Amino acid sequence: MAGWLKRIFLPLGAVMLMLGLGGCGDDGAAQQAKEIEKYLTLTESRINTLGGMLDKGEIRNATLIAQYAERLKTQDASLAPIIDALSQDAARGPLYQSLVRRRSDALAPVNFVDEDMRLAELENLYQAADPILYNDMLSDPLNALADMSGGTLPRMNAISREAELAANGEDFGPGSQLVGNPTYGQWQTGSDGTSFWAWYGMYAMFSNLFHRPVYYDTWSGRRHYSYYNDVGRYRYSSPRDLARQQQVFTQAKKRFDSQGKRFDSPYAKTRSGASGLSRQSQQAPSVAQAAKARTEKQKFRSNYAKDSSFRDAKTRTSRSTRRGK
């Protein structure tokens, strides 16, 4: 009798195990879908709120950008084209529009490798649209204007240019805070395999202000502090932006490896130079910590359903077997 029951309940247990795995997997996907819908709503609301605050002049560094631009044009009218370009970030300019564009991209799952990446992008975007963090992010274009003034306008949320040059030596010229930031330009690779920074059209005048072209190889090891590169890169970059940056690094490292030389990522070491940042920015994880946290979160999401469903199915199978004895 026991053998007959065993032959009945063991196959039944296997079927229940399979059903349990599928059911809990579906539950995990449904929960993730709810999270995505939640963050789609939250990001839309926060981006709209941020836009309203910019319209009303309630973002401090945005207001300072407008003031710096006005004073700097009076000081040196020849800089008007680049000043006008940077002053757009005092309102719903390129930096704000990049958030709007990323939120629009997040509506379509086809723009992402999987739903884990899509949810991670929405979570980052929600943080990027935080008015306090956005204010900190605006310190980069603001300080570019400050450096163009020759010291008559002070930097905000960063040590002075004089202190920075004394500590680092290398001088890339005014606007170096914006190098590496996909809102203002991109890395281009020449026929010789080396990459250099190419400004977008409205910022092209920076090329005249720099002492020489900024090559990726040199910049990677000698760059100065900027909010984007040292604090906000994961929040203020789309997955596509991060993939392109990784590709440039991979190409450079491969070229150095072929020469028997070492080449480190420009983000391998966080540069010092921040001053007076918000508590949110001060508590933000480093680039390495953010990457590790993202990887662990994706592993958890992908494995959670499998692990929990196995435990649940195993428990149901055990109960069924006990009842048959």
Side-chain angles (χ1 to χ4, degrees):
M1 182 68 174
W4 179 78
L5 288 174
K6 187 175 182 180
R7 287 194 299 271
I8 292 295
F9 281 106
L10 284 182
L12 179 60
V15 171
M16 293 178 67
L17 175 60
M18 294 176 65
L19 292 175
L21 286 169
C24 289
D26 292 341
D27 289 344
Q31 180 61 35
Q32 186 179 62
K34 289 181 180 179
E35 285 289 296
I36 288 174
E37 288 300 318
K38 179 183 77 173
Y39 273 101
L40 282 171
T41 300
L42 289 174
T43 53
E44 180 181 32
S45 176
R46 180 168 272 190
I47 290 173
N48 288 338
T49 297
L50 175 62
M53 294 178 71
L54 287 168
D55 295 341
K56 298 174 183 178
E58 296 176 347
I59 304 297
R60 179 174 179 269
N61 281 343
T63 300
L64 287 175
I65 286 175
Q67 294 175 356
Y68 276 30
E70 184 177 353
R71 290 183 59 182
L72 193 53
K73 280 200 291 187
T74 301
Q75 178 179 321
D76 190 346
S78 68
L79 296 175
I82 191 63
I83 294 171
D84 288 340
L86 290 174
S87 67
Q88 292 186 33
D89 279 327
R92 301 192 187 207
L95 185 59
Y96 177 82
Q97 292 303 321
S98 70
L99 302 183
V100 175
R101 184 168 54 253
R102 285 169 60 190
R103 199 271 173 184
S104 178
D105 289 343
L107 292 172
V110 71
N111 290 324
F112 302 88
V113 173
D114 53 34
E115 291 296 81
D116 284 336
M117 179 179 285
R118 188 183 177 203
L119 180 54
E121 164 68 346
L122 284 166
E123 291 170 344
N124 281 333
L125 188 54
Y126 178 71
Q127 293 298 322
D130 183 311
I132 296 176
L133 293 176
Y134 190 84
N135 179 72
D136 286 344
M137 180 64 216
L138 287 178
S139 63
D140 281 349
L142 175 63
N143 290 333
L145 289 169
D147 290 351
M148 289 164 60
S149 75
T152 60
L153 297 172
R155 284 183 172 186
M156 294 292 169
N157 305 122
I159 60 175
S160 69
R161 189 162 185 261
E162 293 73 22
E164 187 174 63
L165 292 175
N168 297 291
E170 187 76 21
D171 184 6
F172 290 105
S176 60
Q177 301 91 339
L178 308 179
V179 174
N181 189 327
T183 299
Y184 305 98
Q186 62 182 342
W187 295 107
Q188 291 186 357
T189 303
S191 58
D192 61 351
T194 60
S195 298
F196 59 93
W197 184 251
W199 298 98
Y200 294 142
M202 74 175 82
Y203 306 106
M205 192 174 180
F206 270 127
S207 299
N208 300 327
L209 300 179
F210 276 42
H211 301 301
R212 57 188 176 278
V214 178
Y215 290 98
Y216 184 77
D217 300 357
T218 304
W219 176 82
S220 294
R222 302 177 187 176
R223 70 172 181 83
H224 294 186
Y225 163 83
S226 74
Y227 184 85
Y228 172 81
N229 289 309
D230 291 295
V231 183
R233 189 168 72 98
Y234 271 92
R235 289 190 176 117
Y236 292 95
S237 303
S238 69
R240 187 180 295 108
D241 294 330
L242 294 174
R244 288 171 177 167
Q245 291 172 3
Q246 181 61 36
Q247 183 180 21
V248 175
F249 166 69
T250 300
Q251 291 174 343
K253 189 175 188 307
K254 183 178 180 180
R255 183 160 45 82
F256 271 70
D257 287 345
S258 67
Q259 301 170 3
K261 300 178 181 179
R262 176 176 174 175
F263 185 79
D264 293 326
S265 166
Y267 309 110
K269 179 182 178 181
T270 299
R271 269 53 168 186
S272 60
S275 175
L277 293 178
S278 67
R279 181 178 299 178
Q280 289 93 321
S281 288
Q282 293 176 18
Q283 295 176 347
S286 66
V287 171
Q289 292 171 331
K292 181 179 180 181
R294 174 178 292 184
T295 300
E296 291 178 347
K297 183 180 291 187
Q298 290 175 344
K299 286 182 178 179
F300 174 79
R301 286 170 176 160
S302 62
N303 291 332
Y304 176 77
K306 179 176 68 176
D307 294 342
S308 62
S309 61
F310 176 77
R311 289 193 299 269
D312 293 344
K314 184 177 180 181
T315 300
R316 290 193 295 269
T317 302
S318 176
R319 289 173 180 171
S320 298
T321 304
R322 286 199 300 270
R323 284 197 297 269
K325 289 183 179 180

